[in-house]
mmCIF file of all heavy atoms in Angstrom:
data_model
loop_
_atom_site.group_PDB
_atom_site.id
_atom_site.type_symbol
_atom_site.label_atom_id
_atom_site.label_comp_id
_atom_site.label_asym_id
_atom_site.label_seq_id
_atom_site.Cartn_x
_atom_site.Cartn_y
_atom_site.Cartn_z
ATOM 1 N N ARG A 378 -76.559 -43.164 18.271
ATOM 2 C CA ARG A 378 -75.113 -43.049 18.435
ATOM 3 C C ARG A 378 -74.816 -42.797 19.902
ATOM 4 O O ARG A 378 -75.550 -42.054 20.567
ATOM 5 C CB ARG A 378 -74.632 -41.855 17.593
ATOM 6 C CG ARG A 378 -73.158 -41.609 17.632
ATOM 7 C CD ARG A 378 -72.756 -40.577 16.629
ATOM 8 N NE ARG A 378 -73.175 -39.222 16.998
ATOM 9 C CZ ARG A 378 -72.984 -38.155 16.227
ATOM 10 N NH1 ARG A 378 -72.414 -38.280 15.044
ATOM 11 N NH2 ARG A 378 -73.364 -36.974 16.629
ATOM 12 N N GLN A 379 -73.768 -43.446 20.397
ATOM 13 C CA GLN A 379 -73.303 -43.083 21.736
ATOM 14 C C GLN A 379 -72.207 -42.065 21.534
ATOM 15 O O GLN A 379 -71.462 -42.173 20.556
ATOM 16 C CB GLN A 379 -72.778 -44.323 22.436
ATOM 17 C CG GLN A 379 -73.920 -45.242 22.781
ATOM 18 C CD GLN A 379 -73.496 -46.433 23.577
ATOM 19 O OE1 GLN A 379 -72.331 -46.818 23.541
ATOM 20 N NE2 GLN A 379 -74.419 -47.027 24.280
ATOM 21 N N SER A 380 -72.113 -41.089 22.430
ATOM 22 C CA SER A 380 -71.290 -39.922 22.105
ATOM 23 C C SER A 380 -69.917 -40.310 21.578
ATOM 24 O O SER A 380 -69.191 -41.085 22.191
ATOM 25 C CB SER A 380 -71.171 -38.990 23.308
ATOM 26 O OG SER A 380 -70.613 -39.705 24.355
ATOM 27 N N GLY A 381 -69.638 -39.753 20.401
ATOM 28 C CA GLY A 381 -68.344 -39.992 19.761
ATOM 29 C C GLY A 381 -68.284 -41.273 18.951
ATOM 30 O O GLY A 381 -67.397 -41.449 18.113
ATOM 31 N N GLY A 382 -69.221 -42.196 19.130
ATOM 32 C CA GLY A 382 -69.164 -43.483 18.442
ATOM 33 C C GLY A 382 -69.739 -43.439 17.039
ATOM 34 O O GLY A 382 -70.082 -42.375 16.526
ATOM 35 N N ALA A 383 -69.830 -44.632 16.418
ATOM 36 C CA ALA A 383 -70.402 -44.716 15.069
ATOM 37 C C ALA A 383 -71.927 -44.816 15.176
ATOM 38 O O ALA A 383 -72.462 -45.190 16.217
ATOM 39 C CB ALA A 383 -69.845 -45.945 14.367
ATOM 40 N N CYS A 384 -72.618 -44.454 14.075
ATOM 41 C CA CYS A 384 -74.086 -44.512 14.074
ATOM 42 C C CYS A 384 -74.562 -45.916 13.737
ATOM 43 O O CYS A 384 -73.976 -46.587 12.896
ATOM 44 C CB CYS A 384 -74.624 -43.605 12.976
ATOM 45 S SG CYS A 384 -74.527 -41.896 13.359
ATOM 46 N N ARG A 385 -75.646 -46.335 14.384
ATOM 47 C CA ARG A 385 -76.312 -47.555 13.932
ATOM 48 C C ARG A 385 -77.085 -47.215 12.658
ATOM 49 O O ARG A 385 -77.529 -46.078 12.490
ATOM 50 C CB ARG A 385 -77.289 -48.031 15.007
ATOM 51 C CG ARG A 385 -76.580 -48.593 16.221
ATOM 52 C CD ARG A 385 -77.528 -49.364 17.117
ATOM 53 N NE ARG A 385 -78.456 -48.507 17.833
ATOM 54 C CZ ARG A 385 -79.778 -48.595 17.740
ATOM 55 N NH1 ARG A 385 -80.344 -49.481 16.945
ATOM 56 N NH2 ARG A 385 -80.556 -47.795 18.432
ATOM 57 N N PRO A 386 -77.261 -48.183 11.738
ATOM 58 C CA PRO A 386 -77.996 -47.856 10.512
ATOM 59 C C PRO A 386 -79.472 -47.563 10.795
ATOM 60 O O PRO A 386 -80.091 -48.231 11.624
ATOM 61 C CB PRO A 386 -77.861 -49.115 9.642
ATOM 62 C CG PRO A 386 -77.220 -50.159 10.473
ATOM 63 C CD PRO A 386 -76.759 -49.566 11.758
ATOM 64 N N TYR A 387 -79.988 -46.563 10.115
ATOM 65 C CA TYR A 387 -81.406 -46.201 10.259
ATOM 66 C C TYR A 387 -81.867 -45.489 8.999
ATOM 67 O O TYR A 387 -81.043 -45.029 8.193
ATOM 68 C CB TYR A 387 -81.624 -45.310 11.498
ATOM 69 C CG TYR A 387 -80.956 -43.958 11.376
ATOM 70 C CD1 TYR A 387 -81.636 -42.856 10.856
ATOM 71 C CD2 TYR A 387 -79.621 -43.792 11.739
ATOM 72 C CE1 TYR A 387 -81.012 -41.626 10.723
ATOM 73 C CE2 TYR A 387 -78.988 -42.571 11.605
ATOM 74 C CZ TYR A 387 -79.687 -41.489 11.099
ATOM 75 O OH TYR A 387 -79.058 -40.279 10.951
ATOM 76 N N GLY A 388 -83.164 -45.419 8.850
ATOM 77 C CA GLY A 388 -83.757 -44.663 7.739
ATOM 78 C C GLY A 388 -84.589 -43.513 8.275
ATOM 79 O O GLY A 388 -84.850 -43.412 9.476
ATOM 80 N N VAL A 389 -85.000 -42.630 7.355
ATOM 81 C CA VAL A 389 -85.856 -41.492 7.710
ATOM 82 C C VAL A 389 -87.038 -41.471 6.738
ATOM 83 O O VAL A 389 -86.864 -41.718 5.540
ATOM 84 C CB VAL A 389 -85.071 -40.155 7.610
ATOM 85 C CG1 VAL A 389 -85.992 -38.966 7.808
ATOM 86 C CG2 VAL A 389 -83.927 -40.119 8.623
ATOM 87 N N LEU A 390 -88.207 -41.191 7.275
ATOM 88 C CA LEU A 390 -89.418 -41.090 6.448
ATOM 89 C C LEU A 390 -90.074 -39.732 6.687
ATOM 90 O O LEU A 390 -90.181 -39.299 7.844
ATOM 91 C CB LEU A 390 -90.398 -42.205 6.867
ATOM 92 C CG LEU A 390 -91.822 -42.141 6.312
ATOM 93 C CD1 LEU A 390 -91.848 -42.419 4.806
ATOM 94 C CD2 LEU A 390 -92.732 -43.154 7.029
ATOM 95 N N THR A 391 -90.480 -39.046 5.612
ATOM 96 C CA THR A 391 -91.366 -37.884 5.785
ATOM 97 C C THR A 391 -92.494 -37.983 4.765
ATOM 98 O O THR A 391 -92.277 -38.433 3.643
ATOM 99 C CB THR A 391 -90.672 -36.499 5.621
ATOM 100 O OG1 THR A 391 -90.561 -36.188 4.231
ATOM 101 C CG2 THR A 391 -89.309 -36.444 6.280
ATOM 102 N N LEU A 392 -93.667 -37.570 5.176
ATOM 103 C CA LEU A 392 -94.867 -37.640 4.322
ATOM 104 C C LEU A 392 -95.754 -36.458 4.655
ATOM 105 O O LEU A 392 -96.118 -36.287 5.820
ATOM 106 C CB LEU A 392 -95.694 -38.876 4.684
ATOM 107 C CG LEU A 392 -95.255 -40.255 4.268
ATOM 108 C CD1 LEU A 392 -96.227 -41.265 4.870
ATOM 109 C CD2 LEU A 392 -95.244 -40.391 2.749
ATOM 110 N N HIS A 393 -96.105 -35.657 3.678
ATOM 111 C CA HIS A 393 -97.094 -34.610 3.979
ATOM 112 C C HIS A 393 -97.922 -34.194 2.775
ATOM 113 O O HIS A 393 -98.852 -33.414 2.915
ATOM 114 C CB HIS A 393 -96.413 -33.382 4.577
ATOM 115 C CG HIS A 393 -95.699 -32.559 3.549
ATOM 116 N ND1 HIS A 393 -94.487 -32.926 3.037
ATOM 117 C CD2 HIS A 393 -96.060 -31.421 2.915
ATOM 118 C CE1 HIS A 393 -94.109 -32.025 2.148
ATOM 119 N NE2 HIS A 393 -95.036 -31.108 2.046
ATOM 120 N N ARG A 394 -97.585 -34.684 1.573
ATOM 121 C CA ARG A 394 -98.373 -34.284 0.396
ATOM 122 C C ARG A 394 -99.812 -34.753 0.570
ATOM 123 O O ARG A 394 -100.039 -35.922 0.919
ATOM 124 C CB ARG A 394 -97.855 -34.952 -0.876
ATOM 125 C CG ARG A 394 -96.486 -34.573 -1.235
ATOM 126 C CD ARG A 394 -96.429 -33.607 -2.417
ATOM 127 N NE ARG A 394 -95.190 -32.887 -2.319
ATOM 128 C CZ ARG A 394 -95.054 -31.604 -1.989
ATOM 129 N NH1 ARG A 394 -96.108 -30.851 -1.797
ATOM 130 N NH2 ARG A 394 -93.887 -31.048 -1.886
ATOM 131 N N PRO A 395 -100.779 -33.887 0.260
ATOM 132 C CA PRO A 395 -102.182 -34.316 0.344
ATOM 133 C C PRO A 395 -102.433 -35.619 -0.414
ATOM 134 O O PRO A 395 -103.174 -36.480 0.051
ATOM 135 C CB PRO A 395 -102.940 -33.144 -0.297
ATOM 136 C CG PRO A 395 -102.041 -31.964 -0.138
ATOM 137 C CD PRO A 395 -100.643 -32.479 -0.108
ATOM 138 N N SER A 396 -101.782 -35.808 -1.568
ATOM 139 C CA SER A 396 -102.036 -37.021 -2.372
ATOM 140 C C SER A 396 -101.605 -38.287 -1.630
ATOM 141 O O SER A 396 -102.100 -39.376 -1.908
ATOM 142 C CB SER A 396 -101.316 -36.927 -3.720
ATOM 143 O OG SER A 396 -99.941 -36.700 -3.501
ATOM 144 N N ASN A 397 -100.692 -38.177 -0.682
ATOM 145 C CA ASN A 397 -100.289 -39.335 0.130
ATOM 146 C C ASN A 397 -100.951 -39.330 1.504
ATOM 147 O O ASN A 397 -101.359 -40.374 1.996
ATOM 148 C CB ASN A 397 -98.769 -39.336 0.344
ATOM 149 C CG ASN A 397 -98.012 -39.750 -0.909
ATOM 150 O OD1 ASN A 397 -98.576 -40.406 -1.791
ATOM 151 N ND2 ASN A 397 -96.756 -39.373 -1.005
ATOM 152 N N ALA A 398 -101.025 -38.159 2.098
ATOM 153 C CA ALA A 398 -101.434 -38.099 3.513
ATOM 154 C C ALA A 398 -102.940 -38.015 3.706
ATOM 155 O O ALA A 398 -103.441 -38.344 4.771
ATOM 156 C CB ALA A 398 -100.768 -36.898 4.187
ATOM 157 N N ASP A 399 -103.665 -37.561 2.674
ATOM 158 C CA ASP A 399 -105.101 -37.321 2.880
ATOM 159 C C ASP A 399 -105.977 -38.480 2.409
ATOM 160 O O ASP A 399 -107.196 -38.405 2.508
ATOM 161 C CB ASP A 399 -105.541 -36.044 2.136
ATOM 162 C CG ASP A 399 -104.980 -34.792 2.776
ATOM 163 O OD1 ASP A 399 -104.211 -34.918 3.741
ATOM 164 O OD2 ASP A 399 -105.282 -33.687 2.300
ATOM 165 N N ARG A 400 -105.356 -39.539 1.839
ATOM 166 C CA ARG A 400 -106.169 -40.666 1.341
ATOM 167 C C ARG A 400 -105.882 -41.913 2.162
ATOM 168 O O ARG A 400 -104.742 -42.386 2.210
ATOM 169 C CB ARG A 400 -105.885 -40.878 -0.148
ATOM 170 C CG ARG A 400 -106.540 -39.783 -0.988
ATOM 171 C CD ARG A 400 -105.902 -39.526 -2.299
ATOM 172 N NE ARG A 400 -105.678 -40.734 -3.086
ATOM 173 C CZ ARG A 400 -104.901 -40.760 -4.161
ATOM 174 N NH1 ARG A 400 -104.282 -39.675 -4.558
ATOM 175 N NH2 ARG A 400 -104.743 -41.873 -4.820
ATOM 176 N N ARG A 401 -106.953 -42.428 2.759
ATOM 177 C CA ARG A 401 -106.823 -43.563 3.684
ATOM 178 C C ARG A 401 -106.058 -44.733 3.066
ATOM 179 O O ARG A 401 -105.090 -45.231 3.636
ATOM 180 C CB ARG A 401 -108.219 -44.024 4.105
ATOM 181 C CG ARG A 401 -108.238 -45.161 5.116
ATOM 182 C CD ARG A 401 -109.636 -45.742 5.233
ATOM 183 N NE ARG A 401 -110.591 -44.744 5.705
ATOM 184 C CZ ARG A 401 -110.949 -44.596 6.978
ATOM 185 N NH1 ARG A 401 -110.451 -45.387 7.896
ATOM 186 N NH2 ARG A 401 -111.810 -43.661 7.329
ATOM 187 N N ASP A 402 -106.483 -45.170 1.856
ATOM 188 C CA ASP A 402 -105.873 -46.365 1.249
ATOM 189 C C ASP A 402 -104.393 -46.115 0.942
ATOM 190 O O ASP A 402 -103.540 -46.983 1.142
ATOM 191 C CB ASP A 402 -106.648 -46.790 -0.006
ATOM 192 C CG ASP A 402 -106.791 -45.648 -1.005
ATOM 193 O OD1 ASP A 402 -106.856 -44.480 -0.562
ATOM 194 O OD2 ASP A 402 -106.815 -45.902 -2.220
ATOM 195 N N VAL A 403 -104.080 -44.907 0.468
ATOM 196 C CA VAL A 403 -102.689 -44.601 0.086
ATOM 197 C C VAL A 403 -101.804 -44.532 1.332
ATOM 198 O O VAL A 403 -100.727 -45.158 1.388
ATOM 199 C CB VAL A 403 -102.617 -43.267 -0.698
ATOM 200 C CG1 VAL A 403 -101.176 -42.898 -1.014
ATOM 201 C CG2 VAL A 403 -103.441 -43.352 -1.975
ATOM 202 N N LEU A 404 -102.271 -43.810 2.336
ATOM 203 C CA LEU A 404 -101.465 -43.656 3.557
ATOM 204 C C LEU A 404 -101.225 -45.022 4.209
ATOM 205 O O LEU A 404 -100.099 -45.354 4.610
ATOM 206 C CB LEU A 404 -102.181 -42.707 4.520
ATOM 207 C CG LEU A 404 -101.421 -42.346 5.791
ATOM 208 C CD1 LEU A 404 -100.095 -41.672 5.490
ATOM 209 C CD2 LEU A 404 -102.260 -41.424 6.688
ATOM 210 N N ARG A 405 -102.273 -45.826 4.245
ATOM 211 C CA ARG A 405 -102.166 -47.158 4.849
ATOM 212 C C ARG A 405 -101.138 -48.011 4.090
ATOM 213 O O ARG A 405 -100.280 -48.656 4.679
ATOM 214 C CB ARG A 405 -103.544 -47.823 4.802
ATOM 215 C CG ARG A 405 -103.639 -49.165 5.479
ATOM 216 C CD ARG A 405 -105.072 -49.652 5.408
ATOM 217 N NE ARG A 405 -105.929 -48.930 6.331
ATOM 218 C CZ ARG A 405 -106.163 -49.330 7.581
ATOM 219 N NH1 ARG A 405 -105.601 -50.418 8.045
ATOM 220 N NH2 ARG A 405 -106.942 -48.647 8.363
ATOM 221 N N ARG A 406 -101.206 -47.951 2.748
ATOM 222 C CA ARG A 406 -100.303 -48.784 1.935
ATOM 223 C C ARG A 406 -98.836 -48.339 2.115
ATOM 224 O O ARG A 406 -97.934 -49.158 2.204
ATOM 225 C CB ARG A 406 -100.710 -48.707 0.456
ATOM 226 C CG ARG A 406 -100.073 -49.771 -0.406
ATOM 227 C CD ARG A 406 -100.980 -50.182 -1.543
ATOM 228 N NE ARG A 406 -101.486 -48.990 -2.231
ATOM 229 C CZ ARG A 406 -101.111 -48.609 -3.445
ATOM 230 N NH1 ARG A 406 -100.227 -49.320 -4.102
ATOM 231 N NH2 ARG A 406 -101.615 -47.536 -4.015
ATOM 232 N N ILE A 407 -98.630 -47.034 2.174
ATOM 233 C CA ILE A 407 -97.252 -46.550 2.364
ATOM 234 C C ILE A 407 -96.724 -47.035 3.717
ATOM 235 O O ILE A 407 -95.613 -47.577 3.807
ATOM 236 C CB ILE A 407 -97.185 -45.004 2.292
ATOM 237 C CG1 ILE A 407 -97.526 -44.518 0.891
ATOM 238 C CG2 ILE A 407 -95.796 -44.496 2.710
ATOM 239 C CD1 ILE A 407 -97.617 -43.004 0.768
ATOM 240 N N LEU A 408 -97.511 -46.860 4.762
ATOM 241 C CA LEU A 408 -97.031 -47.242 6.100
ATOM 242 C C LEU A 408 -96.816 -48.757 6.187
ATOM 243 O O LEU A 408 -95.843 -49.214 6.800
ATOM 244 C CB LEU A 408 -98.002 -46.754 7.175
ATOM 245 C CG LEU A 408 -98.062 -45.223 7.337
ATOM 246 C CD1 LEU A 408 -99.136 -44.822 8.336
ATOM 247 C CD2 LEU A 408 -96.702 -44.661 7.774
ATOM 248 N N GLU A 409 -97.697 -49.508 5.522
ATOM 249 C CA GLU A 409 -97.557 -50.976 5.504
ATOM 250 C C GLU A 409 -96.227 -51.367 4.844
ATOM 251 O O GLU A 409 -95.495 -52.212 5.347
ATOM 252 C CB GLU A 409 -98.704 -51.521 4.656
ATOM 253 C CG GLU A 409 -99.290 -52.834 5.070
ATOM 254 C CD GLU A 409 -100.588 -53.043 4.275
ATOM 255 O OE1 GLU A 409 -100.504 -53.240 3.046
ATOM 256 O OE2 GLU A 409 -101.657 -52.961 4.883
ATOM 257 N N THR A 410 -95.906 -50.698 3.747
ATOM 258 C CA THR A 410 -94.672 -50.997 3.005
ATOM 259 C C THR A 410 -93.438 -50.621 3.830
ATOM 260 O O THR A 410 -92.486 -51.391 3.937
ATOM 261 C CB THR A 410 -94.660 -50.213 1.665
ATOM 262 O OG1 THR A 410 -95.879 -50.460 0.998
ATOM 263 C CG2 THR A 410 -93.487 -50.614 0.795
ATOM 264 N N VAL A 411 -93.478 -49.421 4.409
ATOM 265 C CA VAL A 411 -92.314 -48.964 5.180
ATOM 266 C C VAL A 411 -92.143 -49.846 6.423
ATOM 267 O O VAL A 411 -91.020 -50.105 6.864
ATOM 268 C CB VAL A 411 -92.444 -47.468 5.541
ATOM 269 C CG1 VAL A 411 -91.263 -47.007 6.390
ATOM 270 C CG2 VAL A 411 -92.539 -46.616 4.278
ATOM 271 N N GLN A 412 -93.250 -50.334 6.951
ATOM 272 C CA GLN A 412 -93.165 -51.205 8.132
ATOM 273 C C GLN A 412 -92.380 -52.490 7.802
ATOM 274 O O GLN A 412 -91.603 -52.979 8.625
ATOM 275 C CB GLN A 412 -94.560 -51.564 8.615
ATOM 276 C CG GLN A 412 -94.572 -52.134 10.020
ATOM 277 C CD GLN A 412 -95.957 -52.575 10.425
ATOM 278 O OE1 GLN A 412 -96.710 -53.112 9.604
ATOM 279 N NE2 GLN A 412 -96.314 -52.351 11.673
ATOM 280 N N ILE A 413 -92.571 -53.008 6.585
ATOM 281 C CA ILE A 413 -91.827 -54.212 6.176
ATOM 282 C C ILE A 413 -90.323 -53.908 6.188
ATOM 283 O O ILE A 413 -89.510 -54.655 6.713
ATOM 284 C CB ILE A 413 -92.282 -54.683 4.763
ATOM 285 C CG1 ILE A 413 -93.760 -55.066 4.810
ATOM 286 C CG2 ILE A 413 -91.403 -55.832 4.252
ATOM 287 C CD1 ILE A 413 -94.368 -55.369 3.453
ATOM 288 N N LEU A 414 -89.986 -52.772 5.619
ATOM 289 C CA LEU A 414 -88.584 -52.352 5.575
ATOM 290 C C LEU A 414 -88.027 -52.142 6.985
ATOM 291 O O LEU A 414 -86.866 -52.451 7.273
ATOM 292 C CB LEU A 414 -88.545 -51.029 4.811
ATOM 293 C CG LEU A 414 -87.247 -50.563 4.238
ATOM 294 C CD1 LEU A 414 -86.760 -51.564 3.206
ATOM 295 C CD2 LEU A 414 -87.463 -49.196 3.579
ATOM 296 N N ALA A 415 -88.906 -51.638 7.858
ATOM 297 C CA ALA A 415 -88.481 -51.286 9.217
ATOM 298 C C ALA A 415 -88.292 -52.512 10.101
ATOM 299 O O ALA A 415 -87.942 -52.370 11.273
ATOM 300 C CB ALA A 415 -89.486 -50.323 9.839
ATOM 301 N N ALA A 416 -88.509 -53.691 9.556
ATOM 302 C CA ALA A 416 -88.178 -54.895 10.328
ATOM 303 C C ALA A 416 -86.657 -55.031 10.426
ATOM 304 O O ALA A 416 -86.136 -55.669 11.338
ATOM 305 C CB ALA A 416 -88.774 -56.126 9.652
ATOM 306 N N ASP A 417 -85.926 -54.433 9.466
ATOM 307 C CA ASP A 417 -84.463 -54.569 9.428
ATOM 308 C C ASP A 417 -83.717 -53.418 10.080
ATOM 309 O O ASP A 417 -82.559 -53.568 10.469
ATOM 310 C CB ASP A 417 -83.990 -54.677 7.966
ATOM 311 C CG ASP A 417 -84.553 -55.929 7.314
ATOM 312 O OD1 ASP A 417 -84.796 -56.902 8.050
ATOM 313 O OD2 ASP A 417 -84.772 -55.906 6.090
ATOM 314 N N LEU A 418 -84.323 -52.245 10.107
ATOM 315 C CA LEU A 418 -83.647 -51.088 10.738
ATOM 316 C C LEU A 418 -84.713 -50.075 11.138
ATOM 317 O O LEU A 418 -85.770 -50.011 10.504
ATOM 318 C CB LEU A 418 -82.610 -50.458 9.796
ATOM 319 C CG LEU A 418 -83.011 -49.555 8.649
ATOM 320 C CD1 LEU A 418 -81.778 -48.989 7.966
ATOM 321 C CD2 LEU A 418 -83.908 -50.201 7.649
ATOM 322 N N PRO A 419 -84.480 -49.298 12.190
ATOM 323 C CA PRO A 419 -85.503 -48.325 12.571
ATOM 324 C C PRO A 419 -85.651 -47.251 11.503
ATOM 325 O O PRO A 419 -84.665 -46.833 10.886
ATOM 326 C CB PRO A 419 -84.962 -47.734 13.878
ATOM 327 C CG PRO A 419 -83.509 -47.987 13.860
ATOM 328 C CD PRO A 419 -83.274 -49.215 13.037
#
Side-chain angles (χ1 to χ4, degrees):
R378 181 171 72 183
Q379 289 185 337
S380 59
C384 285
R385 289 194 288 121
Y387 66 92
V389 173
L390 169 69
T391 81
L392 285 176
H393 76 283
R394 297 255 156 251
S396 56
N397 286 338
D399 290 3
R400 286 155 50 193
R401 183 192 298 265
D402 54 329
V403 176
L404 185 60
R405 184 177 286 269
R406 194 148 49 109
I407 294 174
L408 292 175
E409 215 169 69
T410 309
V411 178
Q412 196 184 38
I413 298 172
L414 199 62
D417 297 331
L418 77 175

